[in-house]
Amino acid sequence: MFVQGCRHNLGMPATQEIAPPQVRWDLSALFASPEDPRIAASWKTAHERADLFAEKYRGKIDSADLTAKTLSEAIFELETLIQDAGKPVNYAHLLFSCDTGDPKIGSFMQSQMEMSTELSVKLMFFELELQAAPAEVIDRLLDDPDLRTYRHYIEVARAFSPHRLTEAEEIILEEVANTGCRAWVRLSEEVTSNHVFKLHVPGSDEIEELSEPEVLDRLRHPDREMRQAAADAFTAGLKELERVLVFTYNTLTGDKKLEDRLRKYPYPEHSRHLSNELDKETVDLVIGMCRDNYSLVSRFYEVKRGILGLPELTHIDRYAPLFESEEPIEWERAKAICLESFGAFSPTLEAKAAEFFDEGWIDAEPRPGKRGGAFCSYNTPDTHPVVFLSYMNKMDNVMTLAHELGHGVHASLSREQSYLNFHGTLPLAELASTFAEMLVFERVVAEASPKDRLALYAEKIEGIFATVFRQAALFRFEQRCHNERREEGEISPERFGEMWHEEIQAMFGSSVKLGDQHRIWWSYISHFFAVPFYVYAYSFGELLVLSLYQMAKEQGPAFAPRYEALLRLGGSRSPEALMATVDVDLKSREFWQGGFDAMEKLVAEFERLWAEYSGR
């Protein structure tokens, strides 16, 4: 399943007068139910096709006699096969996201992953032969018109050539993954999604039993005592899971250490850089610039401390609202805000986003067992993407909806590409989602009162900081964890907490004092477990869009068609080539600094708004 834009909602609790929307997605474009006979039939057909594919092409790709026509036909057959075979697995993951506590769904998902592994084993030879083929043979074929569609796929596959193993070794790794690393990831998701966090309601003997998203909601409550109670409940709950989560993460970092050694990756994040089609120098440039600009974080939170009237800010105050109340935003209004904001920029974006509401492509209802966060699953070009979130009637949820709809629009426009060119790399995958948030933010701010405008700027800045600086800090934490696991062995809970505390505290400087409770909060972040080093993609995406958005404003209506054309390209080119279509150089320090300059302008405007509001 191709998932983009997983976000951790930290909104205020839903206002009780307005119930959350009873909006559930329609997955019938995939299958009707886990018992749908089409699932078994699709696997049967896929295996028959895989057997014929292997019979036809094994030994023909790593050959001096390889022709462009043979390679093109082989890739086309493979592409259509894996597109169809991916649907049962996508479907199972989507069902599991909605109900992680149902053992039948968990069992169904496991069975689909195992079926997928059986198929992957049969097809594994192709990419291995493509990687092993002599450079002179492949280079001679790449410019042939027959391979124009698949040139980028071939180049990306061959980038992993130095790290391939033998077919027998690759088969073993794939077959043990379902009871190895993938099982550990599933365990971490199940225990956190289904854990009950017990919150002692301040001023009473009442104990609320909350899910992870619900207890995180309380960290934005206007009452500081409630925020402290939420932090207490969250910390206590994670402490109950600590032994499992620490052992799980140690196991997963150890598993990656082993695989990286076998594949001869020189450092832990190297495979992620290859997948993202970014070199180490570019990533280090951006992450280093994030650290160099941490002072913006301190500058903002010093102002926020003054607004809140607190002697100091702690980990329970980071997401505190500036004012006592916030008007609830029911689902239909959120829908209108997003669609109108998209439409003001591009009728195409509005039309594509409207499909998600009209066709039932969104699951927004909060309910027990539903995993936290939000995402967009691209699915396949011949079906349609879907959006997942838990909407609780707050402005923060509106921004999350806009973010995931941005992903959805990107996925919808990318459906013009074939399956192998459908998925963009992670850093650019956040482009459309972050751009969508900016469209919604500017529209809402323009219509807001001075008081609400101040609050909206605070929320937006905090969101950008969480996406740029916090994700950069998370990346540095991951680097330290993986390196220490390799050099020192298993890591203690205390040491995890120490590294986490150091990296996040460095981001805040002296503006926020993170308490000891915060030291265990690393353990709920699913990206660490499921997709190592994913997090820096958020920093890239946000900074890229902050600069790109300024470009859009400067160019006016002429920019929208260029932007749409960029989204339609999907993942058919490298990130550098894709961004070159809108005149962006990813290796330019000046370009990236533009993102930080845009942040500085937001902070300056926030300071100005507060001075104006407080001086009335």
Side-chain angles (χ1 to χ4, degrees):
M1 177 178 64
F2 189 75
V3 169
Q4 286 296 1
C6 181
R7 289 159 63 88
H8 295 285
N9 288 333
L10 290 171
M12 288 170 58
T15 301
Q16 296 303 311
E17 288 78 8
I18 300 179
Q22 295 182 323
V23 174
R24 299 194 180 197
W25 52 25
D26 177 4
L27 301 179
S28 59
L30 293 169
F31 299 99
S33 73
E35 293 75 33
D36 191 331
R38 291 182 299 157
I39 295 175
S42 69
W43 283 123
K44 182 176 183 296
T45 301
H47 280 278
E48 290 171 352
R49 291 169 64 187
D51 290 337
L52 291 173
F53 181 83
E55 182 180 339
K56 184 176 180 180
Y57 292 109
R58 182 180 287 276
K60 304 286 181 62
I61 306 304
D62 182 11
S63 168
D65 298 325
L66 179 65
T67 65
K69 185 173 185 295
T70 297
L71 183 55
S72 176
E73 290 175 350
I75 296 175
F76 176 77
E77 288 184 37
L78 177 70
E79 179 178 53
T80 55
L81 198 169
I82 61 177
Q83 174 175 281
D84 291 342
K87 293 172 186 176
V89 181
N90 284 8
Y91 180 67
H93 278 285
L94 294 171
L95 291 181
F96 182 74
S97 296
C98 289
D99 194 350
T100 62
D102 187 333
K104 291 183 179 179
I105 293 177
S107 176
F108 173 66
M109 182 178 71
Q110 184 69 20
S111 69
Q112 299 311 296
M113 290 194 299
E114 290 173 0
M115 289 293 289
S116 179
T117 291
E118 290 179 28
L119 187 72
S120 296
V121 165
K122 293 182 177 181
L123 300 173
M124 197 172 285
F125 78 91
F126 177 80
E127 200 156 278
L128 291 174
E129 286 198 28
L130 180 60
Q131 292 170 344
E136 59 271 18
V137 173
I138 300 298
D139 292 345
R140 170 171 50 82
L141 302 179
L142 279 178
D143 291 326
D144 192 290
D146 282 344
L147 288 173
R148 183 178 295 114
T149 301
Y150 298 118
R151 180 181 181 121
H152 180 239
Y153 162 75
I154 294 168
E155 291 173 340
V156 172
R158 285 180 62 80
F160 288 86
S161 293
H163 310 289
R164 72 184 187 280
L165 304 176
T166 66
E167 184 175 354
E169 291 168 332
E170 293 284 3
I171 289 172
I172 291 171
L173 287 179
E174 175 61 29
E175 289 192 334
V176 302
N178 288 324
T179 53
C181 59
R182 291 171 194 155
W184 289 106
V185 170
R186 175 182 164 186
L187 175 65
S188 69
E189 290 181 349
E190 287 200 14
V191 298
T192 54
S193 296
N194 291 282
H195 194 70
V196 175
F197 295 86
K198 298 178 180 179
L199 184 146
H200 293 257
V201 178
S204 75
D205 295 329
E206 181 185 354
I207 296 179
E208 283 191 80
E209 295 189 344
L210 305 175
S211 65
E212 179 195 287
E214 289 171 332
V215 75
L216 288 173
D217 278 345
R218 302 304 195 271
L219 291 175
R220 277 207 184 214
H221 201 282
D223 187 330
R224 197 167 193 267
E225 288 188 9
M226 178 60 81
R227 296 199 301 273
Q228 184 62 66
D232 294 343
F234 188 48
T235 303
L238 291 178
K239 273 288 183 184
E240 292 170 4
L241 300 175
E242 182 176 53
R243 188 171 184 179
V244 172
L245 294 176
V246 168
F247 182 76
T248 298
Y249 194 46
N250 266 306
T251 301
L252 287 168
T253 52
D255 181 81
K256 191 173 192 309
K257 169 189 173 182
L258 172 62
E259 183 168 354
D260 284 359
R261 176 173 62 80
L262 293 173
R263 296 189 182 280
K264 298 181 173 59
Y265 288 121
Y267 51 91
E269 61 270 30
H270 186 247
S271 58
R272 178 63 60 198
H273 293 349
L274 287 178
S275 296
N276 287 343
E277 299 178 60
L278 293 172
D279 55 58
K280 187 176 188 298
E281 290 70 28
T282 302
V283 176
D284 289 349
L285 169 66
V286 174
I287 297 301
M289 291 181 73
C290 287
R291 194 170 180 87
D292 292 343
N293 285 275
Y294 276 174
S295 59
L296 276 174
V297 180
S298 294
R299 179 174 156 186
F300 168 78
Y301 278 102
E302 286 295 342
V303 178
K304 182 170 183 176
R305 182 188 58 76
I307 296 174
L308 293 176
L310 296 172
E312 70 173 5
L313 298 182
T314 73
H315 58 286
I316 69 169
D317 303 311
R318 288 178 298 167
Y319 301 108
L322 297 186
F323 305 111
E324 280 295 316
S325 62
E326 183 182 354
E327 180 187 356
I329 302 175
E330 49 83 28
W331 178 251
E332 288 300 318
R333 184 178 167 207
K335 171 184 172 181
I337 289 171
C338 290
L339 293 182
E340 290 169 9
S341 301
F342 286 19
F345 173 74
S346 160
T348 300
L349 265 62
E350 180 182 16
K352 291 297 181 182
E355 287 183 313
F356 284 80
F357 298 96
D358 298 340
E359 303 297 331
W361 297 352
I362 304 176
D363 195 294
E365 180 188 37
R367 52 189 181 272
K370 187 174 179 179
R371 59 162 283 190
F375 63 77
C376 171
S377 176
Y378 277 37
N379 294 332
T380 58
D382 63 329
T383 57
H384 59 76
V386 292
V387 159
F388 174 99
L389 73 157
S390 293
Y391 189 85
M392 291 179 279
N393 300 320
K394 307 310 295 182
M395 179 54 72
D396 183 62
N397 304 143
V398 179
M399 291 301 174
T400 299
L401 177 62
H403 182 100
E404 301 308 336
L405 285 173
H407 280 306
V409 168
H410 195 176
S412 289
L413 292 174
S414 297
R415 288 162 70 190
E416 297 178 11
Q417 301 292 330
S418 65
Y419 183 75
L420 292 176
N421 291 325
F422 179 43
H423 305 154
T425 61
L426 292 178
L428 263 59
E430 293 301 325
L431 184 155
S433 55
T434 309
F435 198 95
E437 280 194 68
M438 289 298 296
L439 292 172
V440 169
F441 172 72
E442 288 215 339
R443 182 175 185 84
V444 171
V445 161
E447 300 173 355
S449 66
K451 179 181 177 181
D452 288 344
R453 190 175 299 127
L454 186 64
L456 286 165
Y457 263 89
E459 286 187 4
K460 184 60 180 173
I461 291 167
E462 286 175 340
I464 290 174
F465 286 176
T467 307
V468 175
F469 297 120
R470 184 170 180 267
Q471 301 302 324
L474 264 57
F475 174 64
R476 290 174 61 88
F477 168 74
E478 279 192 279
Q479 285 180 306
R480 292 179 66 178
C481 289
H482 282 269
N483 284 319
E484 190 155 317
R485 178 69 176 84
R486 293 168 189 224
E487 296 166 6
E488 306 293 337
E490 284 202 0
I491 302 172
S492 69
E494 294 74 22
R495 182 57 181 154
F496 277 129
E498 182 180 348
M499 291 187 288
W500 170 254
H501 181 82
E502 289 171 357
E503 293 301 333
I504 305 300
Q505 187 65 70
M507 181 186 81
F508 288 108
S510 61
S511 64
V512 176
K513 182 180 179 181
L514 300 175
D516 286 340
Q517 285 186 324
H518 183 262
R519 290 174 181 265
I520 198 174
W521 289 10
W522 66 269
S523 59
Y524 88 100
I525 299 176
S526 60
H527 286 128
F528 293 159
F529 296 82
V531 276
F533 304 109
Y534 182 111
V535 292
Y536 77 73
Y538 287 112
S539 300
F540 266 73
E542 186 82 42
L543 284 168
L544 190 153
V545 167
L546 287 171
S547 290
L548 199 65
Y549 199 74
Q550 297 306 309
M551 184 186 300
K553 293 172 73 174
E554 292 167 6
Q555 295 184 14
F559 185 80
R562 299 181 69 197
Y563 178 72
E564 292 169 20
L566 170 63
L567 300 188
R568 292 180 194 277
L569 289 171
S572 61
R573 305 181 191 177
S574 70
E576 282 193 63
L578 286 170
M579 295 313 301
T581 65
V582 287
D583 303 321
V584 168
D585 178 7
L586 294 183
K587 294 185 179 297
S588 167
R589 175 179 284 271
E590 182 181 1
F591 169 75
W592 293 112
Q593 186 58 47
F596 294 105
D597 292 344
M599 273 191 271
E600 196 280 332
K601 290 178 182 177
L602 289 171
V603 173
E605 179 64 8
F606 175 70
E607 292 169 333
R608 187 195 68 78
L609 289 169
W610 171 238
E612 182 180 278
Y613 182 82
S614 60
R616 290 188 308 174

